Amino acid sequence: MPVLTHKLATAFPVAPSRGALRPLALSEVRIESGFWADMQDLNASAIIGHCEAWMEKVGWIGNFDAAVEGRLPADRRGREFSDSDVYKLLEAMAWEVGRTQDEQLEARLRALVARVGAAQETDGYLNTRFGRPGQGARYSDLQWGHELYCYGHLLQAAVARGRTAGDDALVTIARRAADHLCEVFGVGGIESICGHPEVEMALVEFGRYTGESRYVDQARLFIDRRGHGLLGDIELGPSYYQDETPVRDAEVLRGHAVRAVYLAAGAVDLGVEDDDAGLIDAVSTQLARTVARRTYITGGMGAHHEGESFGSDFELPSDRAYSETCAGIGSIMLNYRLLLATGEERYADMIERTLYNVVATSPAADGRAFYYTNTLHQRVPGSTPSTEEPSPRASSSLRAPWFDVSCCPTNVARTLATLGSYFATSTSNGLQLHQYAAGEVSAALDGGPIAVRVETNYPSDGEIRMVVTETLDTEWDLSLRVPAWATTGAQLRVGGESREVAPGTVLTRQVFTIGDEITLVLPVAARWTTPDPRIDALRGQRAVERGPVVLCLESTDVPFAGSVDNLRVTGELNDVDGVVTIDVRGIMAPDHAWPYGMDTPEMSSETQSVQLLPYYSWANRGPSSMRVWLPTEGDAVAV
Ligand SMILES: [Zn+2]
């Protein structure tokens, strides 16, 4: 692994002390128009305020007031981990204030921090669910209590605030909590771990922010302790919380998907700080197998509703996909850390796939309802959730405004607020663009500042034009990611010369002058995608992707068929300026008393053209049925 030692600046969501690539700060990657600019605007105008309003409404923010006023446990609202969503909201607010300098949001952030801080106890302990008369004792339920998980989100919020605004009240609260944590769980203290990983990566990042190694030391203790059965057995088995095998010895991500990817992200952080290539290699090997065998076409992770967990290799049923939004976000966090550590673009490929097809799918078009799970096949149109009450959780028929377990909306909010940093990186003498959006990217190379303007309508259009707006008088590298899906037809134009480029990194090294243009043209036209034949649930089916976007067929667009399940695709695929249509035929599937032992179903001789839509946009037109994977003609006969 090539190693650089960075001088850390501010406003990075992740700031490793070494690695192949350096992160860019939020201020260095400005997304100005297009798909992701619209999503960031939605976050600013709707999602963050929606999360804040709901947590006031359901009393999760009020829990902190109740703690101060001695009204706990009687007045406590929400699940044992509800504090964490207040912290994720604080993190989203902090990054957003850093990105936009929104003074009104800054005032709301400060007011919320004051309410949280007032509930902190004199020794640094902070949690509204434990430790008071009538509540469980502190750390009496490490399996399920989520106390350390909540601290993790508090520390990440403080890092966001510290890196965007400097040390303030939130950083002080987090420091006291982190010191308490090290005191209680350090060497000679409680020798255990939290059932839900999260505090590990937070402690490493807080150590990076404060420059204090004891927080990294505490993360190391937690990671090394895990996998030895300290949490005990449970009905779901200790693999549910990754406590059956040490991180270094595991072969694949397993158990609860969010816990698995958060733990893996923390292990990469620790591996980077410790310069421990073995630990980083172990996690990257686990992720590679997980991507190859346990990941949906959307980038979604988690095939079991039971335990919100990974299934076995190739167990990826569309209609039972759990694919929690948070697992997708955790996967992006993990892939970003490995991208920075190794420089390998396969991690940026996964980030792109997951951003467009999980993160962008979760929020409704108005930013006021969310998917928690992300099914790939909705058999029956869902019912509209209440706009007044939280959804019991996870129902995937239609997006819900809030959930009893509402980890996903705040996770979307903090991710969108930090989006720019996932898009580009730098090295001592180069700039790397990993994701494409119209805007401006700048970086401080060792030789001085450089900047590039990006002009594109990607992913609607495949042309991405980079114009150098600031440069050096010596040569430097501009690296562009050619996505793995662009197997043929990607073109690079430099100085009037055009050449075909293959997936991976395409690097241009020269003395650039202001106004120099480099154009990458990606073949975004719609294409058929076939699954690995070992994925039983997908046999006889194909999907359509357009650039990085997975498409789907929604019943709203096939009124003549009654259901998306009564159709077979014929192989015709048309893409006219992004309007993608396929030809389908209906199958005759009369009801039988026993659904086995039947003749091959008959198929209509008549074909009809139907339009496919981006999966991220489904269910924005009311209840519908939907399929990503489309049955082909193989199991039916034409009549
Ligand atoms: Zn979630």
Side-chain angles (χ1 to χ4, degrees), residues 322-326 358-364 369-375 378 394-401 403 408-409 412 554 615-620 622 624 626:
Y322 199 73
S323 182
E324 181 178 341
T325 300
C326 287
V358 178
V359 175
T361 307
S362 177
F370 301 85
Y371 274 132
Y372 183 116
T373 67
N374 293 279
T375 190
Q378 181 71 31
S395 126
S396 54
S397 58
L398 284 174
R399 296 170 182 86
F403 302 90
C408 301
V412 169
E554 196 174 2
Y615 170 71
Y616 62 71
S617 69
W618 89 277
N620 273 310
S624 63
M626 178 279 298

Side-chain angles (χ1 to χ4, degrees), residues 274-402:
D274 287 353
D275 202 6
D276 183 345
L279 182 55
I280 296 170
D281 287 348
V283 176
S284 76
T285 301
Q286 293 160 29
L287 178 61
R289 177 165 160 189
T290 303
V291 168
R293 298 178 176 221
R294 298 187 174 192
T295 302
Y296 285 99
I297 187 174
T298 53
M301 293 184 174
H304 285 185
H305 283 237
E306 183 187 39
E308 306 181 298
S309 62
F310 287 102
S312 303
D313 286 355
F314 304 112
E315 183 191 359
L316 292 163
S318 297
D319 54 353
R320 295 295 295 159
Y322 199 73
S323 182
E324 181 178 341
T325 300
C326 287
I329 288 170
S331 168
I332 289 169
M333 296 165 78
L334 170 58
N335 277 284
Y336 179 56
R337 284 158 170 76
L338 285 167
L339 172 67
L340 292 174
T342 68
E344 295 175 26
E345 292 290 11
R346 61 186 164 125
Y347 300 115
D349 284 334
M350 276 303 293
I351 291 171
E352 177 175 60
R353 179 172 292 281
T354 313
L355 279 174
Y356 279 104
N357 302 299
V358 178
V359 175
T361 307
S362 177
D366 69 358
R368 298 181 194 285
F370 301 85
Y371 274 132
Y372 183 116
T373 67
N374 293 279
T375 190
L376 278 75
H377 180 189
Q378 181 71 31
R379 291 182 182 276
V380 180
S383 53
T384 306
S386 166
T387 56
E388 298 302 318
E389 297 296 323
S391 167
R393 86 174 309 183
S395 126
S396 54
S397 58
L398 284 174
R399 296 170 182 86
W402 203 249

Side-chain angles (χ1 to χ4, degrees), residues 452-534:
V452 169
R453 173 146 203 87
V454 183
E455 297 170 358
T456 185
N457 292 316
Y458 184 81
S460 301
D461 184 281
E463 185 167 304
I464 303 149
R465 203 158 70 98
M466 273 67 57
V467 182
V468 175
T469 56
E470 190 170 7
T471 188
L472 312 176
D473 54 13
T474 54
E475 64 180 18
W476 53 277
D477 300 339
L478 178 61
S479 300
L480 306 173
R481 178 180 65 98
V482 178
W485 52 260
T487 50
T488 55
Q491 297 278 327
L492 186 76
R493 292 203 295 266
V494 184
E497 290 192 14
S498 187
R499 64 184 167 100
E500 182 151 345
V501 288
T505 300
V506 55
L507 184 148
T508 304
R509 174 176 296 167
Q510 64 180 57
V511 179
F512 290 97
T513 57
I514 289 177
D516 277 355
E517 288 186 19
I518 292 183
T519 301
L520 178 66
V521 182
L522 296 175
V524 295
R527 64 190 186 275
W528 290 109
T529 299
T530 52
D532 188 302
R534 288 169 290 184

